[in-house]
């Protein structure tokens, strides 16, 4: 919430839009002008050496209030954009965390299955040595143990990837994978 650059950019746009609302409805600045003539100009009242003028633009009725209303609507839209960015980032972080939670629990299940498969392989090896089971059944148990080792490596890679996704969403340095507590 505090470190995400898209949220920071949206907040900056909101502050910019809010700052514009205050002075949009005011009259434009008056303009003053002064002219100094190198050679005096002859007029009916005598020679003219300097001309000074002041002007003020007055917009058509209702134009300033309309500009002010438009600026206020733009500030409201910027506020909605900030809220949408916050909601999107929070949702993406939650989804990434839930996916990480699932992957960590899947690794735990695979490790439990590996223990069971190793027990089966050990008992199967003993049973094969006695001639109680065929070699084919022992090989199936060993193949299952190898597949579980592959599954564990794949899931560990996915856990690392998901953790990097969370770090990227939070825009923080690449921290090592922390323990993931149980969800309520």
């Amino acid at each position: 919430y505090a470190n995400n650059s898209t949220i920071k950019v949206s907040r900056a746009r909101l502050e910019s839009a809010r700052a514009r609302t205050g002075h949009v409805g005011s009259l434009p600045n008056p303009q003053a002008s002064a002219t100094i003539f190198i050679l005096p100009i002859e007029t009916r009242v005598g020679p003219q050496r300097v001309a000074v003028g002041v002007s003020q633009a007055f917009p058509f009725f209702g134009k300033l209030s309309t500009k002010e209303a438009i600026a206020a609507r733009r500030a409201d839209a910027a506020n909605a954009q900030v809220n949408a960015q916050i909601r999107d980032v929070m949702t993406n972080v939650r989804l990434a965390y839930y996916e990480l939670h699932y992957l960590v629990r899947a690794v735990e299940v695979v490790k439990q299955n590996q223990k069971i498969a190793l027990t089966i392989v050990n008992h199967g090896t003993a049973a094969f040595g006695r001639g109680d089971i065929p070699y084919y059944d022992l090989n199936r148990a060993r193949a299952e143990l190898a597949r579980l080792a592959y599954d564990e490596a794949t899931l560990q890679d996915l856990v690392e990837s998901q953790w990097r996704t969370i770090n990227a969403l939070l825009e923080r340095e690449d921290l090592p994978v922390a323990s993931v507590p149980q969800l309520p």
Side-chain angles (χ1 to χ4, degrees):
Y1 182 78
N3 296 336
N4 192 283
S5 62
T6 56
I7 293 174
K8 286 181 181 177
V9 168
S10 293
R11 283 187 181 147
R13 286 184 183 148
L14 173 61
E15 292 305 316
S16 160
R18 284 183 178 163
R20 273 188 238 121
T21 58
H23 63 81
V24 168
S26 60
L27 288 173
N29 292 333
Q31 295 182 353
S33 62
T35 307
I36 299 174
F37 299 108
I38 296 174
L39 296 173
I41 296 178
E42 212 41 61
T43 62
R44 277 195 249 180
V45 292
Q48 186 177 5
R49 296 187 187 277
V50 176
V52 177
V54 176
S55 65
Q56 171 69 53
F58 292 100
F60 196 73
F61 299 108
K63 193 170 184 180
L64 289 178
S65 61
T66 303
K67 281 185 178 181
E68 195 170 9
I70 289 171
R73 297 302 168 258
R74 285 186 179 156
D76 292 343
N79 188 30
Q81 185 69 26
V82 168
N83 292 336
Q85 289 291 337
I86 291 171
R87 185 190 67 243
D88 290 347
V89 168
M90 299 290 245
T91 300
N92 290 337
V93 168
R94 283 186 183 116
L95 289 174
Y97 180 78
Y98 293 146
E99 182 68 20
L100 177 68
H101 184 270
Y102 166 77
L103 290 170
V104 167
R105 299 303 168 248
V107 168
E108 291 173 1
V109 169
V110 166
K111 286 181 180 180
Q112 290 172 357
N113 287 344
Q114 281 177 325
K115 288 179 185 176
I116 294 170
L118 186 60
T119 303
I120 291 171
V121 167
N122 290 339
H123 289 298
T125 303
F128 176 73
R130 291 187 308 266
D132 293 343
I133 63 168
Y135 186 68
Y136 172 75
D137 289 340
L138 179 60
N139 268 352
R140 280 183 46 196
R142 287 181 180 160
E144 182 64 21
L145 189 61
R147 187 188 65 77
L148 287 170
Y150 174 77
D151 288 349
E152 180 187 9
T154 303
L155 287 171
Q156 288 292 355
D157 289 343
L158 290 172
V159 165
E160 290 277 333
S161 172
Q162 199 63 27
W163 186 253
R164 286 193 179 107
T165 300
I166 289 173
N167 284 334
L169 285 170
L170 297 176
E171 293 190 15
R172 62 183 181 189
E173 62 186 50
D174 201 16
L175 300 173
V177 178
S179 65
V180 179
Q182 289 284 346
L183 290 173

